[in-house]
Amino acid sequence: MRESEIESRLRAEAKKMGGMAVKFVSPGLNGVPDRIVLLPGRKIAFVELKAPGKKPRPLQVKRMRKLKSLGFPVYVIDGVEQIGGVLDEICAT
Ligand SMILES: [Mg+2]
């Protein structure tokens, strides 16, 4: 399964919950997570999508660490089976 397929599923599932998983691109700042997940009740998290078994690159790890240090939840998803659990966890934060 490709990263883009997992990404599409994340978008669809977030939408089902009444939220959104918007693309995150920051000109001039490479390596930011792929999606910002916004769910009802001011829930926000960043998600890096990966093809199954793939790991974030060092620059991506650095960006994720920074976001975490600011107090934001950050997740890496490399399989569709993880999507439900992650969204539930974001809801519970
Ligand atoms: Mg990615």
Side-chain angles (χ1 to χ4, degrees):
M1 175 166 282
R2 291 194 324 226
E3 175 176 333
S4 60
E5 298 174 70
I6 301 170
E7 193 165 17
S8 302
R9 186 75 73 83
L10 174 68
R11 280 183 62 206
E13 294 300 320
K15 198 172 174 185
K16 261 189 223 168
M17 295 170 80
M20 57 211 293
V22 294
K23 187 88 192 149
F24 181 21
V25 179
S26 181
L29 188 69
N30 292 331
V32 295
D34 294 304
R35 295 270 160 179
I36 304 174
V37 175
L38 304 168
L39 295 176
R42 287 175 41 175
K43 308 299 184 185
I44 179 170
F46 295 88
V47 176
E48 175 56 44
L49 283 308
K50 286 282 154 193
K54 298 282 184 190
K55 299 284 175 234
R57 288 176 281 115
L59 183 59
Q60 294 177 328
V61 171
K62 182 180 171 184
R63 301 297 182 226
M64 290 192 286
R65 204 181 298 135
K66 175 64 181 180
L67 291 166
K68 282 180 194 170
S69 79
L70 292 170
F72 294 107
V74 183
Y75 297 90
V76 176
I77 293 178
D78 74 344
V80 283
E81 72 285 351
Q82 297 155 20
I83 292 172
V86 166
L87 290 176
D88 285 347
E89 210 171 301
I90 295 169
C91 272
T93 53

